[in-house]
Amino acid sequence: MAKPKQLQIKFGERFFEDLLGKQILKEPRIAIVELVANSWDSYATEVDIRLPDVDSDVPFSITDNGSGMTHKEFDERWATLSYDRIESQGIYAEKSPGQEALPERKVFGKHGKGRHASFCFSPEGFYVETAKHGI
C-alpha cells in the first residue's frame, strides 16, 4: 500500500491581513499600541521604542523589561496562530522576580494578534529576542 501523500499548507498573500486586520499591518500608530500592550502584558515597567530611519538604515525596534519567555513558552505562544492568551495564561500579567509587591495587572491581549504588529514595519519578517530569568 502506498504511503499517503502529506499536504503542505500554503498561505495566500492576504493571510495575515485577513487574520490580523489591515490596521495592525498598515497603521504604525495601531501597531505601536499593540506592541506596547504586549509589554504591558509582560508586566514591563519600561518600554524603549526606536522608530525606523530609512536614511540611516536604522530599523524599528521595541524593547522592554517585562517577564519575558522561555524558549518553550515562545515556541508554544508564537507558533500558535490565534493563540488564546486568557485561556493559556490567565487574566493577569506575570511578574518578574522583585515585582511581587506590585499590584496585579490585568492584561490587554486576548487573541494573540498584537505580537505580529512588527510586520507593519518590516513586511518581509522581523527578529524577536526574548529571555526569562536571565536565560
Side-chain angles (χ1 to χ4, degrees):
M1 179 180 226
K3 184 178 176 183
K5 191 173 184 178
Q6 289 187 342
L7 179 66
Q8 183 177 1
I9 301 296
K10 298 177 184 124
F11 299 97
E13 287 185 29
R14 293 188 333 261
F15 173 76
F16 273 118
E17 187 175 299
D18 290 344
L19 178 70
L20 306 175
K22 283 184 180 181
Q23 288 187 319
I24 289 176
L25 296 175
K26 307 286 184 193
E27 297 287 334
R29 62 186 170 83
I30 300 296
I32 289 171
V33 166
E34 290 289 342
L35 293 167
V36 170
N38 286 349
S39 296
W40 171 271
D41 290 356
S42 70
Y43 217 110
T45 57
E46 296 176 13
V47 179
D48 180 41
I49 300 170
R50 309 252 172 172
L51 297 176
D53 184 347
V54 182
D55 296 332
S56 63
D57 207 27
V58 171
F60 170 82
S61 70
I62 184 166
T63 307
D64 66 46
N65 67 342
S67 59
M69 291 182 275
T70 64
H71 183 276
K72 183 180 181 215
E73 289 168 338
F74 181 82
D75 187 49
E76 289 170 358
R77 296 169 191 174
W78 278 72
T80 303
L81 297 176
S82 295
Y83 172 77
D84 188 329
R85 195 258 184 252
I86 302 298
E87 181 181 312
S88 299
Q89 296 174 256
I91 63 170
Y92 294 104
E94 179 182 351
K95 298 176 190 178
S96 295
Q99 293 182 322
E100 296 85 8
L102 295 176
E104 294 292 333
R105 179 187 283 185
K106 282 193 174 182
V107 297
F108 286 113
K110 294 174 183 67
H111 307 294
K113 294 182 179 186
R115 66 187 166 171
H116 299 295
S118 292
F119 278 119
C120 181
F121 303 101
S122 181
E124 299 82 33
F126 52 88
Y127 174 77
V128 176
E129 182 178 325
T130 186
K132 188 169 190 173
H133 306 300
I135 301 170

